Amino acid sequence: SGGENRLVSLPLSRIRVIMKSSPEVSSINQDALFLTAKATELFVQYLATYSYKHGRGKEKNALTYSDLSHTAEECETFQFLADILPKKILASKYLKMLEKEKRDGEVGEDNEEDEEEEDEDEAVDEDVGS
């Protein structure tokens, strides 16, 4: 176990906690724990290398958050990370987006209410006619 700890950089105790947080997991084999840690390290290394090579950070000789988020958005292999690594936007832009969604939602609700009233009117007309 001590030798395995030197082969991985991630803390095995943390990985064990994450793995045990799944309700389907009752016990964790030491080999499975080590392999999960090693696979995670290799994945993170691959993500970082790919993002660095295909991002703007190379110009600055640095890996940036926007390089990672761009990779998650553009590369099919990493698209499952798009929710975890969203593009950063300014707070003012976010507030404008929220305001627009709120306005669009109110317009949508008004249309739904109008349609419901029309449906009720039609139902009343049918009852009266019968």
Side-chain angles (χ1 to χ4, degrees), residues 2 5 19-20 44 65 76 110 123 129-130:
N5 283 341
M19 291 173 76
K20 282 197 169 196
V44 171
Y65 178 88
E76 189 174 330
D110 290 345
S130 24

Side-chain angles (χ1 to χ4, degrees), residues 59-109:
E59 300 162 3
K60 301 174 189 172
N61 203 23
L63 178 63
T64 64
Y65 178 88
S66 50
D67 292 336
L68 293 168
S69 66
H70 180 75
T71 296
E73 190 174 299
E74 300 299 324
C75 179
E76 189 174 330
T77 303
F78 298 109
Q79 281 185 346
F80 73 98
L81 296 172
D83 292 340
I84 298 168
L85 294 167
K87 283 194 169 190
K88 284 186 178 181
I89 60 171
L90 296 174
S92 58
K93 192 173 184 179
Y94 178 71
L95 292 173
K96 286 179 185 175
M97 286 172 46
L98 285 178
E99 188 62 36
K100 184 178 184 296
E101 285 179 13
K102 186 177 177 185
R103 281 195 311 267
D104 292 348
E106 288 173 359
V107 170
E109 289 173 8

